């Protein structure tokens, strides 16, 4: 299982991925503990492995999240001047990574056909929306494209960088800085920065290298320290979360929220939404209008937030929650 | 570190671990705004629709010498070196810059303009003799400063962006090059942090940010001293007087000396 997951985008030629894409458009349901029924959307890895134990343990959830893939087709923007026709380029994108970290090959592919003096910083767009590289790939997909037919079709640009919408990303060191900054912020919320500050520089490097090179074990050997908490407290100080909505001008909601109520009850995903984003919850007798999606699935609203934070957080240690309208058809 | 005397009565910062919660942040901002109104230095409160949240905002014209060539090349030399992590110490930055000798830039320290009336000044200010202008000429830039609250760090955070007169936004390199070299020297090894390009958490647009993760560290002594001497202190104002000047945002001393009877009467001491 591990091997298959690690067998990442680099070793797949475009043609082999084309064939695989078909299988991943399937929806599948698999039971996990805590009664969370994970309806998997576009988690390529889950679809491809087929057989699995029904008694999956929590560690498997971490793997499933880590090895989630989205089959993607990159197409050059029509306005770019090319010297010859630009073939589309196919990749399996890791949900937990960042676009600019895994699209070097896309850049090289299209550089071959674009007039060199026209090439500026590459940026990506989906149906008119510039894609923010500093959000995890899975978040971008769930937020903008969760109801699309796979493969996800992303348009590649080399001109007219939208300065007012996107952050520049001139090198991987900028991604690393962004990732470490998020991770530190998450630990400020969880442990008053104590865990991340106690780590050495090489430990920080291990977290980043684990993500950059798609090494699950390397990453989690260190990340598990960030997931610890005193048993008597029942959870982190605050849950690092962000709620994204397409229908809002505001990029996301991020506030303080504790995993345990003053009475000692575990707060659930439903409790969080009720306080932060009540519109996302279905009202009595009303048809469901919004879906609440994490890693392509809709976890039960009764799921304890602390469990979600430990198992469905992105490598940056934030729980990224997407609230999108239910498709009308 | 040179802090203006903060004996002017302002709101009382909560001393529980030097944390500034959102409610206190808003209270400090309100008091800062009252003073700003009297001093007419242009701060305003921008509310987020349908919530209590918001941020302090100020725009200013600033005459800056920006070198057209980047101070360093991210794509090339920086790719193998240390990343621009948000919590990197100032001295790393310094080191990197010293490698790029000859690209020192100057900011006219007194060139902050509250309005456009001074713009016609015309006369090119002589260099103050400390730094060397290599290439590029002085130009007027439009700066926009926002002060937000970070709930994660329980501190204020300074966001800003800068535009040229034809509306082009400044790159990170250009912003770095507009930081006064004197500041780079003076701030070496201080717990002030580096500037990075980040998404504005309320507007979703790219802004430069001075990272807040060590703010508590340099604010603690300020707050501690105030508490020991039973003085009240406006956390946001004291903080701004430290971080603002790095990016050309000076806090007039009048904030500290101006009489403010209303606040004076209502000021209470922590107990």
């Amino acid at each position: 299982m591990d091997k298959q997951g690690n067998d990442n985008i680099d070793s797949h030629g475009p043609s082999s991925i084309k064939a695989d894409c078909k299988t991943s458009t399937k929806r599948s349901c698999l039971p996990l503990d805590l009664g969370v029924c994970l309806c998997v959307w576009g988690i390529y890895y889950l679809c491809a492995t087929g057989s699995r134990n029904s008694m999956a343990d929590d560690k498997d959830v971490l793997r499933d999240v880590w090895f989630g893939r989205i089959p993607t087709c990159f197409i050059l923007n029509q306005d770019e001047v090319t010297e010859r026709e630009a073939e589309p380029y196919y990749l399996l994108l890791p949900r937990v990574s960042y676009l600019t970290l895994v699209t070097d090959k896309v850049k090289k592919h299209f550089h071959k056909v674009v007039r060199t003096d026209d090439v500026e910083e590459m940026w990506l767009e989906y149906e008119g929306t510039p894609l923010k590289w500093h959000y995890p790939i899975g978040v971008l997909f769930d937020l903008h494209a969760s109801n699309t037919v796979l493969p996800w079709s992303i348009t590649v640009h080399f001109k007219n960088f939208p300065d007012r919408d996107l952050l520049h990303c001139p090198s991987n060191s900028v991604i690393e800085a962004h990732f470490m900054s998020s991770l530190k912020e998450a630990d400020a919320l969880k442990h008053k920065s104590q865990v991340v500050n106690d780590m050495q520089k090489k430990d920080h490097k291990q977290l980043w290298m684990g993500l950059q090179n798609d090494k699950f074990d390397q990453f989690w050997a260190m990340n598990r320290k960030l997931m610890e908490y005193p048993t008597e407290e029942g959870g982190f100080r605050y849950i690092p979360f962000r709620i994204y909505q397409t229908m809002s001008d505001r990029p996301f909601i991020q506030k303080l929220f504790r995993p345990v109520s003053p009475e000692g009850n575990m707060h659930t995903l439903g409790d969080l939404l009720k306080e932060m984003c009540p519109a996302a919850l279905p009202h009595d007798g009303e048809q469901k209008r919004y879906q609440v999606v994490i890693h392509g699935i809709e976890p039960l609203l009764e799921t304890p937030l602390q469990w979600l934070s430990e198992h469905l957080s992105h490598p940056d240690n934030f729980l990224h929650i997407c609230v999108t309208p239910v498709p009308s058809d | 570190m040179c802090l203006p005397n903060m004996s002017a009565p302002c709101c009382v910062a909560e001393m529980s671990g030097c944390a500034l919660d959102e409610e206190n942040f808003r209270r400090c901002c309100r008091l800062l705004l009252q003073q700003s109104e009297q001093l007419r230095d242009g701060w305003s409160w921008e509310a987020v629709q349908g919530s209590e949240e918001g941020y302090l905002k100020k725009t200013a014209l600033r005459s800056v010498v920006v070198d057209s060539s980047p101070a360093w090349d991210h794509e090339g030399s920086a790719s193998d070196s240390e990343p621009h992590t948000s919590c990197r110490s100032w001295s790393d930055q310094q080191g990197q810059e010293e490698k790029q000798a000859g690209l020192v830039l100057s900011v006219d320290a007194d060139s902050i303009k509250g309005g456009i009336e001074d713009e016609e000044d015309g006369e090119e200010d002589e260099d103050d003799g400390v730094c060397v202008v290599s290439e590029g000429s002085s130009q007027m830039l439009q700066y926009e400063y926002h002060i937000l609250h970070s709930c994660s760090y329980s501190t204020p955070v300074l966001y800003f962006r800068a535009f040229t007169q034809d509306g082009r936004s400044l790159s990170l390199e250009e912003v770095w090059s507009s930081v006064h070299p004197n500041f780079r020297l003076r701030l070496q090894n201080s717990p002030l942090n580096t500037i990075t390009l980040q998404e504005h958490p309320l507007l979703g647009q790219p802004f430069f940010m001075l990272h807040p993760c060590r703010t508590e560290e340099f604010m603690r002594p300020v707050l501690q001293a105030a508490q020991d001497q039973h003085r009240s202190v406006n956390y946001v104002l004291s903080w701004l007087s430290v971080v603002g000047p790095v990016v050309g945002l000076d806090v007039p001393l009048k904030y500290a000396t101006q009489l403010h009877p209303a606040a004076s009467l209502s000021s209470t001491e922590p107990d």
Side-chain angles (χ1 to χ4, degrees), chain A residues 132 134-135 170 177 185 250, chain B residues 53 75 84 152 163 199 206 211:
Chain A
K132 295 177 176 177
H134 63 289
Y135 292 178
E185 184 175 348
R250 193 175 171 164
Chain B
E53 285 172 88
E75 202 82 70
H84 296 230
S152 305
F163 300 103
E199 179 179 25
H211 204 274

Side-chain angles (χ1 to χ4, degrees), chain A residues 56-325:
Chain A
D57 70 13
D58 287 1
K59 183 99 189 276
D60 289 335
V61 178
L62 302 180
R63 284 186 183 280
D64 290 347
V65 164
W66 183 272
F67 292 114
R69 296 287 186 270
I70 299 165
T72 308
C73 171
F74 291 89
I75 298 160
L76 188 66
N77 172 36
Q78 290 190 332
D79 296 343
E80 307 284 338
V81 183
T82 57
E83 312 211 311
R84 56 178 187 276
E85 202 190 338
E87 295 278 335
Y89 194 80
Y90 294 84
L91 277 182
L92 285 173
L93 297 180
R95 274 185 162 267
V96 296
S97 191
Y98 298 97
L99 278 174
T100 42
L101 191 58
V102 293
T103 50
D104 264 356
K105 295 198 164 189
V106 176
K107 189 156 65 181
K108 287 203 184 99
H109 172 80
F110 290 114
H111 271 181
K112 281 187 228 154
V113 296
V114 178
R115 272 226 321 258
T116 43
D117 45 341
D118 277 349
V119 175
E120 291 162 29
E121 185 174 344
M122 182 174 81
W123 60 280
L124 304 168
E125 166 249 307
Y126 171 70
E127 288 190 347
T129 305
L131 295 172
K132 295 177 176 177
W133 65 262
H134 63 289
Y135 292 178
I137 290 168
V139 172
L140 292 170
F141 180 81
D142 292 341
L143 193 61
H144 302 300
S146 55
N147 299 308
T148 190
V149 175
L150 294 174
W152 184 19
S153 179
I154 291 180
T155 307
V156 178
H157 295 257
F158 289 100
K159 278 189 302 200
N160 305 323
F161 190 94
D163 271 328
R164 303 231 173 175
D165 298 310
L166 298 184
L167 304 177
H168 285 283
C169 183
S171 73
N172 280 2
S173 65
V174 175
I175 312 171
E176 179 178 356
H178 168 74
F179 170 70
M180 288 313 298
S181 166
S182 301
L183 197 117
K184 285 174 182 175
E185 184 175 348
D187 199 53
L189 289 162
K190 293 204 277 196
H191 310 107
K192 279 193 159 185
S193 305
Q194 273 161 8
V195 180
V196 81
N197 287 348
D198 281 352
M199 287 180 174
Q200 295 175 12
K201 210 167 183 178
K202 68 172 173 55
D203 301 336
H204 292 168
K205 223 43 183 185
Q206 183 174 336
L207 288 163
W208 164 247
M209 295 304 280
L211 176 67
Q212 181 175 260
N213 301 327
D214 195 24
K215 299 289 187 218
F216 174 85
D217 292 320
Q218 184 183 2
F219 176 83
W220 269 99
M222 193 51 64
N223 197 53
R224 62 183 178 79
K225 295 187 184 173
L226 293 163
M227 292 296 174
E228 288 167 1
Y229 56 87
T231 324
E232 64 276 14
E233 280 169 31
F236 304 134
R237 203 165 68 98
Y238 296 106
I239 299 287
F241 74 91
R242 282 179 178 177
I243 299 173
Y244 302 80
Q245 297 159 282
T246 40
M247 56 284 190
S248 162
D249 288 341
R250 193 175 171 164
F252 51 77
I253 298 170
Q254 184 187 330
K255 290 182 182 168
L256 299 179
F257 197 80
R258 293 194 190 270
V260 184
S261 75
E263 297 78 36
N265 301 319
M266 296 302 283
H267 277 141
T268 64
L269 178 61
D271 294 332
L272 176 78
L273 290 163
K274 201 171 153 191
E275 188 164 324
M276 304 295 164
C277 186
L281 297 171
H283 300 289
D284 291 337
E286 224 179 71
Q287 229 190 344
K288 189 172 111 172
R289 285 154 61 208
Y290 296 103
Q291 45 193 11
V292 177
V293 179
I294 308 174
H295 291 294
I297 62 170
E298 291 185 71
L300 289 180
L301 295 175
E302 292 77 17
T303 315
L305 209 52
Q306 177 65 29
W307 187 89
L308 287 173
S309 184
E310 285 172 59
H311 296 91
L312 295 195
S313 284
H314 273 268
D316 66 3
N317 277 250
F318 270 87
L319 191 60
H320 296 270
I321 303 164
C322 295
V323 176
T324 56

